[in-house]
Each structure stands twice: as structure tokens, then as C-alpha cells.
Amino acid sequence: MRGWRIGAAAVLLLLVGAFIIVWSIRVRLATDYIDRELARRGVEATYQVKRIGFGTQVLENLVIGDPERPDAVAREVRVQILIGLGWPRVGLITARGVRMRGRVVDGRLTLGQIDRLLPPPSGLPFRLPDQRVDVRNAAIFLDTPAGPVALGLEGRGNLSDGFRGRLALVSRGLRSGECT
């Protein structure tokens, strides 16, 4: 009986030691994972990992694309991870100070290097993802065949059902055929 207790204590001590080691290098592990994933997809990006916790990851000063003319920047992105039965999943994405650039070409929206982070086209009609978000101080600048457009957005909720927010659209002038 005593040998069993010593063995259990040794295993517990090893598990606690392993947890302490992994926890102490969690920021480096997260940074390495993010960097590998960005490189695999051919995305140029810089960011600062502010916090990696049990349920929340925080990135700051995110820049995607050419730093001289980025496709996207975000002052802060906070990702809530829900842990339950099965794999962890993303609960809520909170974004502050987001600025994006895009173009509409042949009726299709392109967001530069951000396109490489999106899932491949499925051939199905467009649908917003089943994802809860909280967005404030966000804007996207689009070059369209009708002229440049700026969109401002803030709101909260599930993108596929229940998002409530405000959207503003501004343009100095739009042209479609002979109509201005």
C-alpha cells in the first residue's frame, strides 16, 4: 500500500512540475504556434501577446500585411476559449480599434493577406459564421468599381443570428454607369 502512495505522489509531482514548466513558457509556445500558422499560410504579420490565460488570450498591436500599407490592424483582439467536453472552442472574439482595407473585384470581396486566413470557398451561398463577437471602433475601407467606400461598425452578438449593432457607410461619391 505504501508503494502505491509513493508512486501516486511521484506521478502527481511530475504532473505539477510539467504544468509549471508549460505554464511558465505559455507565451513563447503560443507565439511559436501563431508564427508557424501565419508562415504556413504565407501571411506577413506582427503582434504582441499581452496575455495567455486559461480562458482568455489577448493580442495587441496586430498588423496583417505590408506594414507600410497593412490589410488590417487591430489595437486589441481578445479571444475567449471555452473548455468543455471535447475540444476547446472559441466562445467570444472581442476586437477594438480595427482598421481593414479591401477591394471589390468582379463582384468579389478581397481583403489582401486576410483572404489566406479564411476557409477555402465551399461553393455554397455566402453565410456569416456561427461566432459571437464584440466589435467597437472598427472600420473597413473598400475600393469598389463605383468608387471608394468607408464602413464603420460596432456591435455585439452572434454573426449568424442575433448580432445587434450599428453600421455607417460613407463615400465622397459613387458612380455606376452614367449615374453619379
Side-chain angles (χ1 to χ4, degrees), residues 6-78:
I6 292 173
V11 168
L12 181 61
L13 187 60
L14 282 173
L15 288 174
V16 168
F19 176 78
I20 289 170
I21 290 169
V22 170
W23 186 255
S24 67
I25 61 172
R26 70 191 183 282
V27 171
R28 190 175 81 212
L29 291 172
T31 302
D32 289 347
Y33 174 80
I34 293 167
D35 289 346
R36 277 194 316 271
E37 191 62 22
L38 291 169
R40 183 179 74 80
R41 294 177 183 228
V43 175
E44 182 180 2
T46 59
Y47 59 91
Q48 295 170 331
V49 176
K50 181 70 173 182
R51 183 172 43 152
I52 300 291
F54 280 115
T56 304
Q57 282 55 282
V58 180
L59 300 178
E60 291 183 345
N61 304 316
L62 174 65
V63 177
I64 297 175
D66 178 1
E68 297 297 317
R69 187 169 165 82
D71 298 320
V73 298
R75 187 180 76 246
E76 179 182 275
V77 177
R78 186 177 298 259

Side-chain angles (χ1 to χ4, degrees), residues 131-150:
Q131 178 62 60
R132 289 178 40 232
V133 297
D134 180 350
V135 179
R136 287 196 199 133
N137 190 17
I140 182 167
F141 305 95
L142 293 176
D143 289 324
T144 75
V149 175

Side-chain angles (χ1 to χ4, degrees), residues 75-76 93-99 133-139 152-156 163 166:
R75 187 180 76 246
E76 179 182 275
I93 298 173
T94 303
R96 302 291 184 257
V98 177
R99 300 291 180 269
V133 297
D134 180 350
V135 179
R136 287 196 199 133
N137 190 17
L153 175 70
E154 70 175 41
R156 183 179 174 105
F163 183 84
R166 294 185 289 185

Side-chain angles (χ1 to χ4, degrees), residues 3 5 50-51 59-60 67 80 86 95 109 114 121 125 128 130 150-151:
R5 287 182 183 165
K50 181 70 173 182
R51 183 172 43 152
L59 300 178
E60 291 183 345
Q80 176 192 43
L109 175 65
I114 295 168
L128 289 169
D130 182 17
L151 298 144

